Amino acid sequence: MMRLGMYGLGRMGANMVRRLARGGIEVVAHNRSRAPIDELVASEPGVQPAYSLDALIAGLPSPRIVWLMLPAGEITEQAITEILPRLAEGDLLIDGGNSFYQDTIRRAARVQAAGVQYMDVGTSGGVWGLKNGYSLMFGGSAAAAEMIRPAIEVLAPAADKGWGHVGPVGSGHFTKMIHNGIEYGMMQALAEGLAVLRAKKEFDLDLAQITELWRDGSVVQSWLLDLTAEALAAQGQALSHIAPVVADSGEGRWTATEAINLGVPAPVMTLALQMRFASQDAEGYPNRLLSLMRNAFGGHAITPQ
């Protein structure tokens, strides 16, 4: 029987614990705040709560496996700083969040210098992962990959698909970063195409019907299309209850920067990121300037605020 510790019980982390527990993996669960631990233990009685890092470590057999599912950046950095002195040689520390791959490589050197193994697991699946399984792309040594394999096979859609040891430390997060950049482009293309369909008012097209029929036999069929079709059918196509603001996460920015650094043309992913920036611009200052310049050289009318 495998037992591991999960630190970070947000939407992804908590559902991963549930899937692991239901698949026969023993999990010791820790979180920075108490409420998510209590909620998880109440719904999954087989999960062992750990209300401190010391309790988390004490609840694990040697060699210990600790899996972090924390926000990228300083929170993950601090967690590693706190956990590392509590681990012993041969233990395994996993970062399953969306860390920047260069941070992962730097952290791995620090962790491995202490004799502790380190892995990065790029994880995709969102809120549907509990039911459908997660896509898992991980980097690290062959020994570390074998050590975590039973849990990977439970978390994945099936024991033989949806996961892979893609390379050395850092490669898992790098692969996930590019995955998310591709996701930006796919989402943008679907959104633009549906917007053009809706703009053709004389046809009075039903976007829920069209996206539904595209789900079968179409070259654009995808999980994103499935989710879009279901959402349009449930919420209608006016979407007047949704503000036209789209957040961006670090992965899209990192992907665009990496493409520039490598000299690889990636206009679709980069433009999709820029469109998200445009949606977040409540002030609209560049467009105000454009209107001003157009008026200055051509006398075109300015639309007052």
Side-chain angles (χ1 to χ4, degrees), residues 33-57:
S33 56
R34 183 185 180 101
I37 303 176
D38 292 338
E39 180 182 346
L40 183 61
V41 171
S43 63
E44 300 291 337
V47 174
Q48 179 179 324
Y51 294 102
S52 68
L53 284 178
D54 288 335
L56 175 67
I57 301 303

Side-chain angles (χ1 to χ4, degrees), residues 3-300:
R3 173 178 284 217
L4 61 79
M6 183 72 74
Y7 179 5
L9 304 177
R11 285 177 297 180
M12 286 277 281
N15 277 345
M16 288 171 68
V17 170
R18 291 184 175 96
R19 188 170 175 91
L20 286 168
R22 295 172 191 179
I25 305 294
E26 294 182 352
V27 184
V28 182
H30 175 66
N31 196 68
R32 290 177 295 161
S33 56
R34 183 185 180 101
I37 303 176
D38 292 338
E39 180 182 346
L40 183 61
V41 171
S43 63
E44 300 291 337
V47 174
Q48 179 179 324
Y51 294 102
S52 68
L53 284 178
D54 288 335
L56 175 67
I57 301 303
L60 298 174
S62 184
R64 304 172 188 86
I65 301 173
V66 178
W67 192 315
L68 307 179
M69 285 301 296
L70 296 168
E74 184 56 36
I75 292 174
T76 294
E77 194 81 35
Q78 184 62 33
I80 293 171
T81 298
E82 294 173 350
I83 290 171
L84 189 55
R86 294 173 164 88
L87 297 177
E89 186 171 350
D91 289 348
L92 173 59
L93 183 59
I94 300 168
D95 180 4
N98 283 327
S99 292
F100 183 42
Y101 81 98
Q102 291 184 353
D103 289 339
T104 299
I105 294 171
R106 172 180 55 78
R107 291 166 182 159
R110 172 189 174 195
V111 171
Q112 291 166 345
V116 175
Q117 300 182 80
Y118 196 77
M119 287 186 66
D120 54 307
V121 181
T123 309
S124 180
V127 297
W128 295 92
L130 174 59
K131 176 183 177 183
N132 299 333
Y134 298 88
S135 175
L136 302 159
M137 51 219 88
F138 49 93
S141 69
E146 191 60 30
M147 190 173 173
I148 197 61
R149 180 168 178 157
I152 293 289
E153 291 181 351
V154 168
L155 287 169
D160 60 348
K161 64 180 181 180
W163 62 271
H165 180 198
V166 297
V169 168
S171 63
H173 282 153
F174 183 82
T175 303
K176 177 56 163 47
M177 178 183 79
I178 304 305
H179 163 283
N180 282 22
I182 294 170
E183 176 187 295
Y184 274 42
M186 291 173 66
M187 293 173 68
Q188 186 68 31
L190 277 173
E192 291 179 8
L194 294 174
V196 173
L197 289 172
R198 186 167 185 266
K200 195 67 172 176
K201 300 298 184 184
E202 61 265 39
F203 288 162
D204 192 25
L205 298 170
D206 183 343
L207 300 189
Q209 177 204 22
I210 292 169
T211 50
E212 180 62 36
L213 71 88
W214 282 352
R215 294 174 70 177
D216 296 295
S218 166
V219 72
V220 299
Q221 64 187 46
S222 64
W223 186 35
L224 279 173
L225 180 63
D226 293 343
L227 296 174
T228 304
E230 291 165 5
L232 286 169
Q235 301 183 39
Q237 64 186 37
L239 305 182
S240 56
H241 61 295
I242 300 175
V245 178
V246 187
D248 71 282
S249 57
E251 296 91 335
R253 300 184 186 210
W254 300 334
T255 298
T257 301
E258 193 69 26
I260 292 169
N261 290 339
L262 293 172
V264 176
V268 172
M269 293 189 293
T270 302
L271 185 56
L273 172 65
Q274 296 293 335
M275 290 300 293
R276 294 197 182 195
F277 292 161
S279 79
Q280 299 164 25
D281 182 15
E283 183 183 17
Y285 190 70
N287 289 332
R288 297 173 195 265
L289 280 173
L290 288 171
S291 182
L292 178 70
M293 287 185 276
R294 192 165 179 265
N295 174 260
F297 75 72
H300 301 287

